[in-house]
Amino acid sequence: MVGELDACVFTFTASGTHPPAHLLSDEKFASLEGEQIYLFLVAQAELIWYTELMKSTDEDAFQVTIHRFLTEMDAAAQATGHLDQAQLYVPASVTTDGWVASQNAWISEVGLDLIECKLHGQKRVSATFDDFSKTHPDWLPDQLQQLKDDFDSVLNASSLASYSQRVRRNRERYADEPMLLKRLDILKHKRFLFTNHLKHKDASAYSAPLDRSMRFLDKKLIKFGQYRAEDAINPMVNAWAIVNNLRQFLPDAKKAGQSLAEHFGVQLKGMPWMEALNLCTVGSLDAMLAPTF
């Protein structure tokens, strides 16, 4: 296993949670002795299920890391009885930020519905609009607003058919604008990525929930700067993820009095979250929370 987090989080399957059907996946840039590295994360909304150091973000590196994640999930789900010994864990969907190497690796490793975060798509559309407005100073504000509304209607479509129709209509409407046509071609190419979330009730169109959890990690990275020792990275990120999953929300939060782990089904049986955290780090939480028959 890669660090203590795997042992900890996977024991949650024995205490109320199930292996998630819908995942979020992202990579975070970090620094090791001045060299850029990457932290690979898999989550169920804000709940972190897996983390691992990556030194590269090419497709082969992603494939190795994703395969390791899936193998860990196989073992955990089989050990907790969520899967038979002959069964393998197969998620239904994964939402990514649009990194092609990551998307290709997910598809290569497991058959699922790939979803691209709509926020990242909207940002790329906005960047196109910025470039377009600079090269078309004669366009009036009302025209630019209409342009924005037309493109927003594509990403906000309620079905694949509606999405495709809106791309086609916009291609006709802006047939004389190569810059806009290029963006529409990209949207057409990604029509499944931006609509696959509609096929599943609980799949996310956005990777924002994972981003929210990662802000906690951002604060830690800002404080101590870069990593100094490679062998300390996985344990540190794993420790952060354990705290992220088990710390209780403040009284004014929507999940006040709960931790993310409890929100997603973990039964702590009245155990204070700090005690659960301590037990988790020494690999004893599963024994304390194991169901009795």
Side-chain angles (χ1 to χ4, degrees), residues 35-87:
E35 297 293 329
Q36 186 164 270
I37 57 171
Y38 312 88
L39 307 176
F40 175 79
L41 300 102
V42 180
Q44 177 185 13
E46 300 101 330
L47 184 73
I48 308 297
W49 277 84
Y50 191 83
T51 72
E52 185 178 336
L53 161 67
M54 294 179 64
K55 292 185 177 180
S56 169
T57 54
D58 60 29
E59 189 171 331
D60 288 342
F62 273 115
Q63 199 161 346
V64 169
T65 302
I66 291 169
H67 180 80
R68 189 153 35 227
F69 160 69
L70 294 170
T71 301
E72 299 280 357
M73 291 296 287
D74 293 339
Q78 291 167 3
T80 56
H82 288 89
L83 292 177
D84 294 334
Q85 291 301 310
Q87 287 182 298

Side-chain angles (χ1 to χ4, degrees), residues 11-265:
T11 58
F12 293 164
T13 58
S15 53
T17 58
H18 295 264
H22 304 289
L23 304 174
L24 305 180
S25 174
D26 205 349
E27 321 78 40
K28 178 169 183 56
F29 299 139
S31 181
L32 170 63
E33 292 288 356
E35 297 293 329
Q36 186 164 270
I37 57 171
Y38 312 88
L39 307 176
F40 175 79
L41 300 102
V42 180
Q44 177 185 13
E46 300 101 330
L47 184 73
I48 308 297
W49 277 84
Y50 191 83
T51 72
E52 185 178 336
L53 161 67
M54 294 179 64
K55 292 185 177 180
S56 169
T57 54
D58 60 29
E59 189 171 331
D60 288 342
F62 273 115
Q63 199 161 346
V64 169
T65 302
I66 291 169
H67 180 80
R68 189 153 35 227
F69 160 69
L70 294 170
T71 301
E72 299 280 357
M73 291 296 287
D74 293 339
Q78 291 167 3
T80 56
H82 288 89
L83 292 177
D84 294 334
Q85 291 301 310
Q87 287 182 298
L88 299 178
Y89 168 66
V90 181
S93 75
V94 62
T95 303
T96 75
D97 62 0
W99 197 284
V100 174
S102 174
Q103 292 178 337
N104 289 345
W106 276 107
I107 293 298
S108 296
E109 281 298 309
V110 60
L112 45 59
D113 284 325
L114 192 63
I115 300 166
E116 185 164 330
C117 173
K118 285 209 299 185
L119 179 60
H120 288 80
Q122 290 164 342
K123 287 181 176 179
R124 294 183 182 101
V125 169
S126 295
T128 296
F129 289 169
D130 289 342
D131 292 339
F132 182 82
S133 63
K134 292 175 183 176
T135 57
H136 293 72
D138 55 319
W139 275 50
L140 299 174
D142 287 349
Q143 290 176 294
L144 293 174
Q145 183 60 51
Q146 183 61 56
L147 173 62
K148 180 180 183 305
D149 292 343
D150 289 340
F151 274 69
D152 283 348
S153 73
V154 175
L155 288 170
N156 293 329
S158 59
S159 68
L160 174 60
S162 176
Y163 181 105
S164 298
Q165 289 172 3
R166 292 174 185 184
V167 168
R168 189 165 64 251
R169 287 171 182 164
N170 279 319
R171 284 189 57 82
E172 294 170 355
R173 189 171 294 141
Y174 300 108
D176 297 328
E177 301 297 343
M179 188 181 299
L180 301 180
L181 290 177
K182 182 178 179 180
R183 179 54 55 186
L184 286 166
D185 284 342
I186 294 172
L187 291 174
K188 178 183 178 181
H189 176 71
K190 294 189 173 186
R191 60 193 181 279
F192 296 109
L193 294 174
F194 286 129
T195 60
N196 273 341
H197 70 281
L198 299 170
K199 297 164 62 175
H200 304 279
K201 177 183 175 182
D202 297 321
S204 178
Y206 299 92
S207 60
L210 177 53
D211 294 335
R212 286 195 291 271
S213 287
M214 286 169 63
R215 289 187 197 132
F216 179 29
L217 178 59
D218 285 336
K219 293 178 181 179
K220 299 299 180 185
L221 293 175
I222 290 173
K223 283 185 178 180
F224 66 71
Q226 64 178 337
Y227 291 105
R228 300 293 181 183
E230 181 177 330
D231 59 2
I233 297 175
N234 277 335
M236 179 270 165
V237 181
N238 290 334
W240 155 74
I242 292 171
V243 174
N244 174 79
N245 290 347
L246 285 172
R247 63 184 177 134
Q248 290 186 333
F249 286 86
L250 296 175
D252 59 344
K254 288 184 179 180
K255 301 181 182 73
Q258 272 192 325
S259 64
L260 283 170
E262 291 171 297
H263 178 74
F264 283 95

